[in-house]
Amino acid sequence: MPKVLRDDDIVCVESNVYSVSGSNTNWVIVKDGDSCTLIDTGYPGDRDAVLASLEVVGLNQRSVAAVLVTHAHNDHIGAAEHLRVVHGVPVLMHQVEVPHARRDHLDQVSVGQVLSQAWRPGVLPWAVHALRAGGTAHVPVSEPQAFPAPGALDLPGGPIPVHTPGHTNGHCAYHLPGSGILITGHALVTAHPTSRISGPQLLPAMFHTDRSRALDSLALIESVDADGLLPGHGPVHHGPAKEASLVAREHAAR
């Protein structure tokens, strides 16, 4: 089911940094003149919304210098292959995530695991929505690329990858030091349809490849000097990464 973009789905968080809400998932546009870095690309059903969001901020799909992937689940790579094939946009990620993006394997909650939790509030409606948005479609990135070198990437915003494994083994957050922003993907979210709490938190346990590593990665988020967090799910969080990480850890301990 295609996502129809609304005006309030695009939030200008900082000069030239935009968080966009899709089908229960978010992506980020980091603009620099007539070019941008696109971090994640929503579900397959979000593709038109991703392209529309570029137009809203004065760009187009030819403006994308690179797609950065926090992790290679369908709700984050839905439009990546389109941009790669049609416009030659490189799709970059942690080297551990490369085979996952090619679909050499799939680190993802199974349909059976979801069904076993269907009695929990929000799980069944979320699952139906995810299916309609293309959550189980086969959308590999045929030629994903690992980061070319450690440290800041030579892309709009100068994003610095922060390897935060747990949700998947190659999950990465991205720090924009010039803007004081950390894009957290699924290493830390602020809401989810299957969660009964709001604010900084880990996703429910069934979504993580390794829950203990996801908990450990909160310490990595805590160490980043950022005052704004853009999660893969939920609204923008304003406040230090350290405090958000501590809140997420407290929620996880309950």
Side-chain angles (χ1 to χ4, degrees), residues 12 14-15 22 31 34-35 55 66 83 105 114-115 119 125 135 146 149 152 173 190 196 225 241 250:
C12 183
E14 187 70 24
S15 177
K31 184 178 177 182
D34 59 358
S35 182
E55 298 278 352
L83 290 165
H105 60 87
V114 171
L115 290 176
W119 59 274
T190 56
R196 288 172 287 180
D225 183 15
E250 289 171 3

Side-chain angles (χ1 to χ4, degrees), residues 219-237:
L220 300 172
I221 292 173
E222 183 180 338
S223 69
V224 176
D225 183 15
D227 290 313
L229 275 62
L230 310 190
H233 296 287
V236 172
H237 177 79

Side-chain angles (χ1 to χ4, degrees), residues 202-238:
L202 291 179
L203 285 170
M206 69 174 175
F207 291 112
H208 296 296
T209 297
D210 188 329
R211 173 79 169 184
S212 64
R213 292 187 81 191
L215 279 166
D216 291 343
S217 286
L218 288 175
L220 300 172
I221 292 173
E222 183 180 338
S223 69
V224 176
D225 183 15
D227 290 313
L229 275 62
L230 310 190
H233 296 287
V236 172
H237 177 79
H238 299 282

Side-chain angles (χ1 to χ4, degrees), residues 64-82:
V64 181
V67 170
L68 298 184
V69 172
T70 59
H71 64 292
H73 286 158
N74 275 19
D75 57 335
H76 292 261
I77 63 168
E81 184 71 350
H82 167 82

Side-chain angles (χ1 to χ4, degrees), residues 94 96-97 105 107 163-171 209-210 213:
H94 191 277
V96 176
E97 200 70 4
H105 60 87
D107 290 332
H163 186 207
T164 45
H167 183 65
T168 65
N169 291 322
H171 187 286
T209 297
D210 188 329
R213 292 187 81 191

Side-chain angles (χ1 to χ4, degrees), residues 168-186:
T168 65
N169 291 322
H171 187 286
C172 264
Y174 294 97
H175 183 208
L176 305 178
S179 302
I181 288 172
L182 181 64
I183 295 128
T184 58
H186 284 186

